[in-house]
Amino acid sequence: MKKVLVLAEVRDGQLRNVSLEALTAAQALAEGGEIVAGVFGADAATHAVTLGHHGASTVYTADHTALAQYTPDAYVQALTQLIELASPDAVVLGHTAIGRDIAPRVAARLGYGLVSDVTSVEAGPVFVRPIYAGKATQTRKFVDGTIFITIRPNNIAIGAADPTKTAVVVPVELEIKDLRTIVKEVVRKTSGKVDLSEAKVVISGGRGVKSAEGFQPLYDLAEVLGAAVGASRGACDADYCDYSMQIGQTGKVVTPDLYIACGISGAIQHLAGMSSSKVIVAINKDPEAPIFQVADYGIVGDLFEVLPLLTAEFKKVLV
Amino acid sequence: MNIVVVLKQTFDTEEKIVIQNGQISEDGVEFIINPYDEYAVEEAIKLKEERGGEVTVISVGPDRAESALRTALAMGADKAVLVDDESLFGDEFTIAKVLAAVAKKIGFDIIIGGQMAVDSGAGQGGPRLAEELGINHVSTAVKLEVDGTNVRVERDVEGDLEVVETSLPVLITAQQGLNEPRYPSLPGIMKAKKKPLDRLGADDLGITADEVKAKTEIVDQTLPPKKQAGRILSGELAAQTSELVQLLRNEAKVI
């Protein structure tokens, strides 16, 4: 039996899915032991009910002015103090922008090992993680010290909620000082859009999209499906879209339920970033394009003809 | 300004992975500078060109990593350090401790590295190294400005842009979009052959294998199951799209 600490993350007032996935991973690690969660921010306590339903027996809440806007210094100090307070046998974070930024630093501060970007927790415990952007898989174990992992969003199925379970809320006072970073501005380019790494459906465009405007039919379909829109390196290099949309070995790795590749030939470096998607649809003019070799369903045709038809079909059944 | 770049040599991103006896085969593999580290090299050279100073590229890795360091020297870095002492190889915990020992030995005002390596994909190197050195870090930078000791960074945060200010000394990790790495010129390649490249081991760095001993171990490495070839639909496009929607709903059950 182990005690496991999960740091839950709130974005736009909502608990992130990956935090519930982290609680599920924590249950596998706890082996019947205790799960505690930490949440930062002014409305932290409002999330305690959900965290309780998903297995946390205690929720530590920390409201501090320095935690209102993310900075590594503030969050590293906060998480370190939380770990010292809870003294867990294992710590689980989401492999998000925040998780990947603070986990290595906290690990270094406390002299811990860290296994990042875990997609599955197995008996042992042994941790499964993709390497070479999913071209291969590695399993890792800890040989010394506290277990510390970050988990990749969208890979560990969230366990069923138990509404009879509740968590005790424990507000904690944190000491945060000597902040070395000032955040001047946050430009929300993704507001209203679905986050690529957590999206259940991803539609992405390659060189076949031909221009920035060429992404419009992809966005039209994305709206109907509640999907995120991504791109291949070819499309990004050609300046059709922002690099933040790039999927591949350089860029983001995505594992949605449905991936629709439009005008993407399927270079190895792109396939590495999306071939673990559950179902892949390829739309391409070239029947020889390598993308068809990883696709579950393929349509050989011009994406500018296919996508409007597909959007209309989905509208018929979904709206 | 004393600019340090941490880099790793990785497989070319177009390489396929072959596993023999649980080990990743390096037979016939083309090696490159980890693409994110290449942005770091370029940014360091740009910084030197603007503000003066010296660029040192450092790496922990096998003998073959020298060629990646030579490429960085050919791009315009001034000197290189390679820690090729196998007793100092290990996991992310180990590498950060070793890099910290190198950085302390050579001194630094700013350290730049990639936001992750495309092989291990862990992304721990930058933040861990900054912590070992007791300095601040800013990750996934897409724009870097240094003015005196003031540092302004635009960083990519899951697609949003965050503008932050901090000061030297600092560690920056490079995100794609930071710059367009230059190609080494022919004179650059010639000069690189004569630039200093120090090989260091545990004794030179004053650390022991025991104090940097890995906290984690690799149990196994495998290839993902091969995907079955899928179905290419046929017929009129309108009929194909209608069939596709039905298949996604009723057969794949993802919509």
Side-chain angles (χ1 to χ4, degrees), chain A residues 117-122 126-129 151 155-156:
Chain A
D117 203 15
V118 168
T119 52
S120 172
V121 175
E122 294 179 359
V126 162
F127 303 97
V128 182
R129 59 186 304 275
I151 60 158
N155 279 265
I156 295 170

Side-chain angles (χ1 to χ4, degrees), chain A residues 88-171:
Chain A
D89 304 298
V91 182
V92 185
L93 266 65
H95 195 65
T96 59
I98 290 176
R100 61 174 83 187
D101 207 32
I102 63 170
R105 229 185 141 126
V106 170
R109 186 164 293 189
L110 297 171
Y112 291 174
L114 171 66
V115 177
S116 327
D117 203 15
V118 168
T119 52
S120 172
V121 175
E122 294 179 359
V126 162
F127 303 97
V128 182
R129 59 186 304 275
I131 50 173
Y132 297 88
K135 288 179 194 171
T137 305
Q138 179 184 74
T139 48
R140 290 266 284 268
K141 66 172 182 184
F142 282 77
V143 289
D144 183 29
T146 301
I147 289 171
F148 195 0
I149 61 169
T150 59
I151 60 158
R152 175 181 290 197
N154 244 353
N155 279 265
I156 295 170
I158 298 172
D162 180 350
T164 63
K165 285 188 176 170
T166 53
V168 180
V169 178
V170 180

Side-chain angles (χ1 to χ4, degrees), chain A residues 37-307:
Chain A
V39 199
F40 301 149
D43 56 354
T46 60
H47 304 291
V49 173
T50 310
L51 295 169
H53 290 170
H54 285 88
S57 60
T58 302
V59 174
Y60 295 106
T61 59
D63 179 19
H64 192 292
T65 47
L67 296 170
Q69 169 67 51
Y70 172 78
T71 63
D73 276 337
Y75 271 60
V76 164
Q77 289 175 45
L79 178 58
T80 305
Q81 286 168 46
L82 208 56
I83 292 172
E84 283 165 349
L85 178 76
S87 56
D89 304 298
V91 182
V92 185
L93 266 65
H95 195 65
T96 59
I98 290 176
R100 61 174 83 187
D101 207 32
I102 63 170
R105 229 185 141 126
V106 170
R109 186 164 293 189
L110 297 171
Y112 291 174
L114 171 66
V115 177
S116 327
D117 203 15
V118 168
T119 52
S120 172
V121 175
E122 294 179 359
V126 162
F127 303 97
V128 182
R129 59 186 304 275
I131 50 173
Y132 297 88
K135 288 179 194 171
T137 305
Q138 179 184 74
T139 48
R140 290 266 284 268
K141 66 172 182 184
F142 282 77
V143 289
D144 183 29
T146 301
I147 289 171
F148 195 0
I149 61 169
T150 59
I151 60 158
R152 175 181 290 197
N154 244 353
N155 279 265
I156 295 170
I158 298 172
D162 180 350
T164 63
K165 285 188 176 170
T166 53
V168 180
V169 178
V170 180
V172 291
E173 288 286 323
L174 300 175
E175 193 193 340
I176 297 173
K177 56 184 184 183
D178 304 329
L179 302 182
R180 293 169 291 189
T181 308
I182 303 163
V183 178
K184 300 301 278 188
E185 192 186 353
V186 179
V187 185
R188 292 298 298 264
K189 295 200 279 185
T190 57
S191 63
K193 292 185 199 165
V194 184
D195 178 44
L196 260 181
S197 62
E198 286 195 306
K200 295 288 175 200
V201 181
V202 171
I203 302 164
S204 70
R207 280 196 183 274
V209 167
K210 289 189 186 135
S211 67
E213 297 72 41
F215 269 94
Q216 196 51 49
L218 279 72
Y219 280 110
D220 293 343
L221 178 57
E223 201 180 316
V224 175
L225 295 178
V229 176
S232 73
R233 182 164 78 185
C236 295
D237 283 348
D239 252 346
Y240 302 163
C241 60
D242 196 82
Y243 276 118
S244 62
M245 288 167 65
Q246 184 172 325
I247 292 165
Q249 195 166 1
T250 46
K252 294 192 171 63
V253 175
V254 296
T255 47
D257 291 343
L258 174 61
Y259 187 91
I260 305 179
C262 311
I264 290 177
S265 63
I268 288 173
Q269 96 96 27
H270 182 75
L271 299 183
M274 46 62 77
S275 55
S276 306
S277 304
K278 287 193 195 87
V279 174
I280 296 168
V281 171
I283 300 166
N284 200 301
K285 277 198 288 198
D286 175 10
E288 302 299 319
I291 190 77
F292 286 117
Q293 286 164 20
V294 300
D296 298 280
Y297 306 108
I299 292 183
V300 178
D302 184 342
L303 70 97
F304 295 106
E305 289 175 44
V306 177
L307 284 180

Side-chain angles (χ1 to χ4, degrees), chain B residues 73-139:
Chain B
L73 292 172
M75 287 168 73
D78 300 289
K79 55 192 175 74
V81 175
L82 175 61
V83 180
D84 56 358
D85 179 346
E86 282 185 30
S87 77
L88 300 180
F89 294 179
D91 67 356
E92 297 86 354
F93 170 87
T94 311
I95 302 297
K97 293 248 180 219
V98 175
L99 287 172
V102 177
K104 279 180 197 161
K105 191 178 167 73
I106 58 182
F108 56 86
D109 297 302
I110 188 166
I111 301 178
I112 315 177
Q115 58 105 349
M116 67 167 187
V118 295
D119 51 5
S120 80
Q124 295 187 30
R128 267 191 186 269
L129 176 56
E131 180 65 27
E132 294 290 347
L133 295 169
I135 62 171
N136 193 16
H137 83 272
V138 181
S139 58

